[in-house]
Amino acid sequence: MPRKGTMIERKIFSRYLDEEMTLKIYQPESFSPLYKYHICIMQDGNDYFQLGRVATLSDRLHESQEITDTIFVGIHYKDKFDRKEKYHPSGKQNQAYMKFLVQEVVPYLDDLLPTYHMGQSRALMGDSLAGTLALMTAIAYPNTFSNVIMQSPYVDETVMNAVKNAKDIFSLDIYHTIGIGETEVNTTDGSRQDFLTPNRELNRLLAEKDISYLYYELDGPHTWKPWQKDLKRALVSMFDE
């Protein structure tokens, strides 16, 4: 099915990462510089466009007016090792990547597009390690990113401690899912890890916080099949009119 919106590609050089990064920006069919838009920035961007079918979903949800005017921005990684360095809480480029998002991507998009220039109108979305990055960035910079969609995030002690010690995160709105089949997930280092138990612990912690928080357990494993099926609910929950 042909897309109704418009995909544009922009390259920006990151001084924090010392490399050129590509932003894939999907504008809805009704896009006009006279309107203002919410922004959803997706790590694993190519996966969200190809496997998550975000552009098709955006077309449908804008047409049915189930979501407010929203532009989807995808940022991808070079390979699984590059992804781990950037997204993993202990990755060598993790802090630099967060600064890239906050201090380079956000100002660039605010300059390029008619946005609200407010944290409440910006979301970070990600699956697995990309979901972890979304949460950790929003905790560190709640005034820049107030909204998080994390699908089956990787959760370790660093993540739990960040949530326990988080201050001034009352503005956050978090959508969190985990699959009940995610008890043996293959990871980049070749090991198998239980994602379900630590995500349930993270759920207990987040539920105690004074934030807007939705949590769902999905049927299925750590794959795009359940994530894609759940994306409509995630987007409508986060970007409803």
Side-chain angles (χ1 to χ4, degrees):
M1 200 159 77
R3 289 173 175 166
K4 294 178 178 176
T6 305
M7 182 80 80
I8 59 175
E9 220 172 89
R10 292 286 185 271
K11 294 187 185 297
I12 63 171
F13 185 82
S14 168
R15 59 191 174 90
Y16 291 105
L17 299 171
D18 194 28
E19 66 178 288
E20 190 173 66
M21 302 292 288
T22 301
L23 310 182
K24 291 186 177 175
I25 302 164
Y26 191 70
Q27 301 171 344
E29 184 180 21
S30 61
F31 177 81
S32 163
L34 302 176
Y35 304 148
K36 286 201 185 300
Y37 291 82
H38 287 248
I39 300 284
C40 181
I41 300 175
M42 312 172 292
Q43 315 321 308
D44 286 358
N46 291 356
D47 296 338
Y48 269 97
F49 281 125
Q50 290 160 17
L51 305 172
R53 302 199 279 279
V54 157
T56 304
L57 253 180
S58 171
D59 290 346
R60 271 204 350 244
L61 297 176
H62 277 101
E63 196 167 21
S64 61
Q65 297 186 326
E66 289 175 85
I67 62 172
T68 193
D69 291 334
T70 304
I71 293 170
F72 291 89
V73 180
I75 308 172
H76 209 59
Y77 52 87
K78 291 196 285 254
D79 54 39
K80 64 180 183 179
F81 304 107
D82 179 59
R83 181 177 184 265
K84 188 173 181 183
E85 293 293 3
K86 289 183 165 91
Y87 298 177
H88 195 286
S90 60
K92 284 181 190 158
Q93 288 191 298
N94 183 251
Q95 293 299 313
Y97 193 86
M98 286 188 194
K99 286 177 182 168
F100 156 68
L101 287 176
V102 171
Q103 297 182 27
E104 295 177 326
V105 174
V106 164
Y108 181 83
L109 292 174
D110 280 348
D111 193 44
L112 179 71
L113 301 164
T115 63
Y116 286 98
H117 294 238
M118 292 188 309
Q120 285 96 334
S121 65
R122 295 189 200 103
L124 288 170
M125 180 159 71
D127 63 290
S128 197
L129 267 183
T132 313
L133 179 88
L135 176 65
M136 295 291 277
T137 306
I139 286 173
Y141 301 95
N143 294 327
T144 306
F145 295 107
S146 296
N147 307 300
V148 172
I149 296 172
M150 52 180 182
Q151 300 181 287
S152 307
Y154 165 80
V155 179
D156 63 9
E157 199 176 333
T158 305
V159 176
M160 296 294 279
N161 286 335
V163 172
K164 281 177 193 165
N165 300 323
K167 303 277 190 293
D168 301 322
I169 60 164
F170 52 85
S171 64
L172 292 193
D173 187 348
I174 297 175
Y175 183 96
H176 175 196
T177 61
I178 186 67
I180 54 174
E182 297 189 54
T183 51
E184 288 193 5
V185 175
N186 293 316
T187 58
T188 310
D189 60 11
S191 65
R192 289 186 158 205
Q193 292 189 25
D194 173 11
F195 271 48
L196 179 59
T197 304
N199 267 274
R200 283 176 167 168
E201 288 171 18
L202 177 62
N203 162 238
R204 282 194 286 275
L205 263 188
L206 286 169
E208 291 170 3
K209 296 282 180 181
D210 185 21
I211 60 173
S212 174
Y213 177 58
L214 287 174
Y215 172 77
Y216 297 100
E217 294 191 354
L218 311 177
D219 287 325
H222 193 79
T223 65
W224 269 98
K225 193 172 180 184
W227 298 336
Q228 201 284 326
K229 274 173 67 177
D230 191 60
L231 261 182
K232 178 185 175 182
R233 178 171 63 185
L235 297 181
V236 171
S237 298
M238 191 59 71
F239 301 109
D240 56 347
E241 287 281 0

